[in-house]
Amino acid sequence: MDAASYQLVVFGLAVALVSNLSRSWLWRSIVLLTASIVFLGLIARSPMVYLPLAGFLLLGYVGLILIERNWPRATMCSVLVTVFAYIWLKKYTFLPESLFLHSAYSALGLSYIFFRVLHLLIDTGDNQEKRHIGLGAYLLYMLNFTTFISGPIQRYDAFSRDQFADKPIALGPRVIGSQLERIVRGFFKVNVLAMLLHMVQDDAVAQLSQPMPMQIKMFAAIKLALVYPLFLYANFSGYIDIVIALARLMRVRLPENFDRPFAASSVLDFWNRWHMTLSNWLKTYVYNPLLVLLMRRISSLAWQPFLGVICFFVTFFLIGVWHGRTSEFIVFGVLTGGGMSINKLWQLWLGRLMGRKGYKALATNSVYVSCSRGLNFVWFGFTLFWFWAGWKQIGAIFSALSVVEWISVWLTAWLVATLVLALWEWLRVALLSIRTTEGPILTSRYALTVYASVMGLVAVVVTALLNQAAPEIVYKSF
Amino acid sequence: MTESNLGKTEIEDAKLPRRDIILLPLIILLTVLVCFLATEVVARHYFAQGAEGNCLVRDAQIGYRFKSHCTMRQKIAESPWITYQFNECGYRSKEPCGPKPPGTTRIVLLGSSTAEGYLVNYDETFAVRAQRRLAQDYGHPFEIQNLGREECFPICVSKRMDEAMQLRPDLLVLALSPVDIQHLDPAEMQDRDKPMAPLGNPDMAPVKISALKKVQVFLSQSYAVTAIQYFLYQNASTFIRLYLHGGDSTAYIRTPLSPAWMKRFDAFDLLLGEMTQRARTAQVPLVVMEMPSLAQGSLLSMDKQPQGVDAGVFDAELKRIAASHGVQFIDVLDAFQHGPKANRLFYVINGHVNGAGSALASDALVEQLEQQQSPTLAGHSQTQDALERGR
């Protein structure tokens, strides 16, 4: 149930069906809450493993009540306690081992609940016009099974607007068709594409660790650099496709989490397209307040442009650190934050060097855009080494080739990524230009029906042939 | 209408044109059909089948046998081309079936396709491998007259005992697989002395089949389905899960054995008793060898066997029956347990062992024969030759 499995799809469709038996928000809420509890029950048979999570939720709700009742410093205290409780329950390795709970418990979904709790606490504290969130609504928002495992991180206002609407959003045959198509697409991405890419990655790692000719090792290293970002995208976005579609069939619109991320031509642009709900959350609750704070403290006009650089680093360093409890993720955070800051500095430097017009012309130059797109892809692939591998494996991988060979690998990977992504973008534009009076043929619902049929057929055959559990969703463990 | 051309609210509000209610399901069906046909075309290339020559000839006693000095070739979807050559007696042996050459140990192999080495090239059959290794181990020539013939199940084998004895063997080996016992119909035991029906009996009225059966036949003949089956059955647990739906014919791996299977074993017990008696009269040791089925091999490949299922239950019953007649039982199952995964040892759709499976079976056969039949195998050149000369 905690993977993009048949069970999840069938469960979600059954819940959607029951949920639509009545348009009443109360009925839909009862169904969603019951389904979410059943969902938790199907993941872990013993309710005891959820006790710490229940405590965390209770802590958040108590904080919310205190803020609503205008207790002094309630927002700051609640936020700090929530952050500490999260770090403690997630067992971040910088805390002493003796401090942790030693009985087995489930931290599944905690990371996403953490963002939702913080968002409620901060927004409720900031709101001039106080609102009351009942315990039922709070639990429904927190435990919603469609967003429980891996997000997307939905804001409460958006959730309550759809979930508690007297007149729920429309659900006609057209919407149902497009959501079913999206479920099939998501299922295919996770169970076929991601699975195949993962096999390529495993194969490349094995080749690097074996005594092989240098050319084969270099080829394996290039594959490794290029394949993991694609795997992660297929794995994560596929799952998100499924849950967004399931929620939509329950008349709730979840926010999009991806917007063709590998079309991004800069690191800054990439994080506007990748795991969008996470980066938007951090921009709202970390980047913006930090920028405002720094601008208030540092009044020098010469420093103003560089404040954004600092804020980007802090925000995206936190994104990196959020992903895991170990020191590898600190490096991932430093590289992610560093990439953002350097990208921002590069923009500032080019802007000063070429002037606004010159920079604008360069930024639209197709060769520059293609090279930047390739570089962003390869940079992301590089940072991800600290995302999927431990220190020992990273050491083994990087020691498989010399420094010069690794430089050649990354330069080749950049070239390949540039060419392939440029070709892909060109092809996409060319194919979408084939239009009738009603629009591009390739995005018509007839074409979408064909894609979905093929993907569904292939997914059924591949899953039947493999006869193994659905692949894990990488972002489930964060 | 293009979806991307519409705003979100427009999509939600827009009604589906009435024609799409028919058109969209039709597109789905058509797409699936095109995919199936494309797979069929590709599968026809990679899973080609064929046959060249026909060596079958009518036989008054056992329905049909192989022609003398005949060669035929066959390829099924998952096998390479296999050549079958038969000697002057229609046995799958290169050695002549006439009088045994002096100093040679002659083994007669009885059974159905398992014994014949169906879908295994001559040099890779377990019989020829065993023959080579025995000759190497004992330092004198061995020959195996392979009387194996497809669908010659135990009743058919019992009819061939006289034929086998005329070859004056030093040892008789009866190779069996679960399929042999499955096709041993206790109801036929009373008429077991009657001649068997020839192939393609013209007296048989054409059988009417239902539409569902026609679809099943069509699918079973489809190369695309064959390709899917081929990849599907590579996984032992998938194969077993599907195989266990096979009803009584697959119940030989379930514990306890069903009454129907026990009746089959009773019938085999009777037949083996008769065969043993005839072999004893001629002072020829008889050995029973069980060649595991793909299902047994798959179960051995799995980390955990499903509840109520046991790869060894068939083996144990056969062993018990053999022991009750004082016949040596060659246990091949153990060799398969320690060998590679089942998909490497069997043709996963057809179910017969391939060359690799035959090699395992041959090793088990030779090792166990050498343990218990060594005097027969080694002493032949002195004692039997003297007897032969005396005759």
Side-chain angles (χ1 to χ4, degrees), chain A residues 170 173-175 248 253 435 437-440 443-446 448-450 453-454 457 461 464-467, chain B residues 1-6 12 14-17 19-20 23-24 27-28 31 35 228 231-232 235 237-238 241:
Chain A
R174 205 161 191 165
V175 177
R248 181 64 188 84
R253 284 167 294 197
R435 308 167 70 93
T437 48
E438 294 178 335
T443 55
S444 71
R445 63 178 170 281
Y446 306 116
L448 293 178
T449 306
V450 172
S453 306
V454 174
L457 196 64
V461 171
L465 292 181
L466 291 175
N467 184 36
Chain B
M1 178 64 76
T2 302
E3 302 301 310
S4 59
N5 229 20
L6 297 168
E12 283 160 10
K15 282 187 177 171
L16 200 65
R19 63 160 199 255
D20 281 7
L23 208 54
L24 292 176
I27 288 175
I28 294 173
T31 309
C35 288
I228 290 170
F231 291 112
L232 203 60
N235 185 299
S237 56
T238 306
R241 208 176 55 207

Side-chain angles (χ1 to χ4, degrees), chain B residues 76-317:
Chain B
I76 63 158
E78 50 186 327
S79 77
W81 277 98
I82 306 293
T83 304
Y84 301 87
Q85 275 179 308
F86 302 99
N87 64 12
E88 71 271 33
C89 294
Y91 306 146
R92 199 179 179 202
S93 304
K94 278 187 179 164
E95 289 74 18
C97 60
K100 185 173 55 170
T104 298
T105 299
R106 176 175 276 180
I107 298 173
V108 166
L109 179 59
L110 290 159
S112 61
S113 53
T114 303
E116 183 197 326
Y118 181 66
L119 298 177
V120 181
N121 271 314
Y122 182 73
D123 285 338
E124 293 179 1
T125 57
F126 78 86
V128 174
R129 286 173 190 270
Q131 178 183 319
R132 275 202 302 264
R133 200 173 138 191
L134 285 169
Q136 198 178 1
D137 291 354
Y138 288 96
H140 68 263
F142 276 73
E143 67 172 49
I144 296 186
Q145 290 296 328
N146 188 344
L147 271 68
R149 194 217 74 190
E150 291 142 55
E151 297 181 7
C152 187
F153 302 123
I155 291 178
C156 164
V157 170
S158 73
K159 290 177 192 293
R160 304 189 79 180
M161 279 300 280
D162 288 342
E163 186 184 346
M165 289 310 170
Q166 280 166 13
L167 292 167
R168 299 193 181 280
D170 300 294
L171 184 73
L172 276 173
V173 176
L174 171 57
L176 291 166
S177 77
V179 175
D180 293 293
I181 304 296
Q182 180 206 330
H183 285 90
L184 178 50
D185 185 356
E188 288 177 3
M189 284 295 283
Q190 281 182 330
D191 301 329
R192 63 182 181 278
D193 294 329
K194 285 186 180 173
M196 300 181 86
L199 266 182
N201 191 346
D203 303 335
M204 283 171 73
V207 183
K208 278 189 178 178
I209 56 170
S210 65
L212 183 70
K213 191 74 188 168
K214 277 180 186 168
V215 172
Q216 279 181 340
V217 170
F218 168 76
L219 287 177
S220 68
Q221 289 171 349
S222 153
Y223 285 69
V225 172
T226 302
I228 290 170
Q229 272 182 322
Y230 176 76
F231 291 112
L232 203 60
Y233 293 170
Q234 297 295 325
N235 185 299
S237 56
T238 306
F239 173 76
I240 287 296
R241 208 176 55 207
L242 297 170
Y243 188 77
L244 287 173
H245 291 297
D248 178 61
S249 63
T250 65
Y252 65 90
I253 50 171
R254 290 189 186 275
T255 51
L257 283 165
S258 66
W261 273 89
M262 286 313 293
K263 280 184 184 170
R264 291 186 184 111
F265 276 116
D266 289 344
F268 176 69
D269 192 4
L270 192 67
L271 283 175
L272 186 65
E274 289 172 2
M275 285 192 273
T276 310
Q277 194 54 47
R278 286 159 81 178
R280 279 211 184 111
T281 309
Q283 293 183 318
V284 179
L286 173 65
V287 165
V288 171
M289 167 192 184
E290 192 243 333
M291 183 71 90
S293 67
L294 170 60
Q296 289 171 299
S298 300
L299 282 171
L300 297 176
S301 301
M302 290 164 68
D303 297 331
K304 195 181 164 196
Q305 300 202 352
Q307 214 173 9
V309 169
D310 183 355
V313 64
F314 176 86
D315 216 38
E317 192 56 25

Side-chain angles (χ1 to χ4, degrees), chain B residues 320-391:
Chain B
R320 183 191 64 75
I321 294 169
S324 72
H325 296 288
V327 168
Q328 185 191 356
F329 178 74
I330 306 287
D331 185 359
V332 180
L333 199 64
D334 191 51
F336 276 65
Q337 183 153 25
H338 300 108
K341 298 260 183 198
N343 62 341
R344 306 258 176 211
L345 304 173
F346 291 86
Y347 292 111
V348 291
I349 305 172
N350 176 277
H352 281 88
V353 286
N354 58 19
S358 300
L360 277 186
S362 157
D363 289 345
L365 174 66
V366 171
E367 279 159 24
Q368 291 174 54
L369 278 182
E370 288 181 354
Q371 278 170 16
Q372 286 197 31
Q373 307 292 341
S374 205
T376 310
L377 301 170
H380 167 84
S381 48
Q382 290 87 35
T383 54
Q384 290 292 96
D385 279 354
L387 278 171
E388 293 282 337
R389 276 193 296 273
R391 282 175 195 151

Side-chain angles (χ1 to χ4, degrees), chain A residues 382-411:
Chain A
F382 176 73
T383 62
L384 287 177
F385 273 78
W386 284 266
F387 179 94
W388 60 265
W391 281 118
K392 204 175 164 186
Q393 199 174 16
I394 293 168
I397 289 168
F398 281 106
S399 60
L401 295 171
S402 68
V403 175
V404 177
E405 284 162 356
W406 270 113
I407 291 170
S408 315
V409 163
W410 289 111
L411 287 174

